[in-house]
Amino acid sequence: MMDDREKIYVYFLCGVFVAFCALYAVFAGINAHPKCRISQGTENYAAGSENAEKLSGGIQQRVGELEDQMRTAGKETSECITELRDSVTEIGRLRNDCDRIAEAGRGIKESADSIEERILLCLQVLGVSEEEAEILDGDSPGFYDPGGQ
């Protein structure tokens, strides 16, 4: 068997071995912990990058759709502007036609007034008063009533 001195020496060596193992475990834990954080950060970065790429793709698709909508709206706006210009031109033409009709109406009224004056002059020449002839009453057939009564 061993004597006490050898036992102390063996115990001392076992204690040193256990201490080295404990120190190794502590240092391995310290070294593994930042690596774990780095690998976790790398994984988080990769996941974030993947999400950013998906979002970027969705944004690009939506921007494309908006561009198409803007082009369509631009074409429709151009067509509406063209139609409005045509309508304004047509309104101008209608205004000119209305002016011509109004002018013709004034001419007709002046002609009717002139005819009425001539009829009255004829009646005066014939010696018949306007009241006796009942020209303006509209009751006599064959006489024109320019006043519209």
Side-chain angles (χ1 to χ4, degrees):
M1 277 259 169
M2 292 199 256
D3 65 14
D4 289 332
R5 213 172 170 187
E6 288 176 356
K7 285 183 186 179
I8 293 174
Y9 184 66
V10 169
Y11 289 138
F12 177 73
L13 287 178
C14 284
V16 170
F17 179 74
V18 169
F20 278 128
C21 286
L23 283 175
Y24 178 76
V26 169
F27 283 122
I30 290 173
N31 284 338
H33 188 353
K35 287 181 183 176
C36 182
R37 274 194 271 160
I38 290 172
S39 66
Q40 184 180 8
T42 304
E43 289 172 6
N44 288 343
Y45 177 79
S49 177
E50 185 177 326
N51 286 336
E53 287 178 14
K54 287 178 184 177
L55 290 174
S56 174
I59 289 170
Q60 287 177 348
Q61 180 182 2
R62 184 65 181 143
V63 165
E65 291 171 1
L66 289 174
E67 285 176 350
D68 290 341
Q69 290 175 356
M70 292 299 289
R71 280 190 202 105
T72 303
K75 288 178 184 176
E76 290 175 359
T77 302
S78 296
E79 290 172 1
C80 287
I81 289 172
T82 302
E83 289 177 11
L84 283 173
R85 286 183 181 157
D86 292 343
S87 297
V88 167
T89 303
E90 189 63 30
I91 288 172
R93 289 180 189 148
L94 288 174
R95 183 177 297 145
N96 290 339
D97 291 343
C98 288
D99 290 343
R100 283 194 297 267
I101 290 170
E103 186 64 34
R106 278 188 229 105
I108 291 170
K109 183 178 181 301
E110 289 173 5
S111 297
D113 290 341
S114 175
I115 291 171
E116 182 183 2
E117 288 174 10
R118 289 183 186 151
I119 290 173
L120 291 175
L121 184 65
C122 290
L123 290 175
Q124 285 176 355
V125 168
L126 293 174
V128 178
S129 67
E130 184 178 345
E131 291 81 19
E132 292 174 3
E134 300 177 357
I135 293 175
L136 299 179
D137 288 343
D139 296 333
S140 302
F143 288 110
Y144 173 71
D145 183 8
Q149 297 177 351

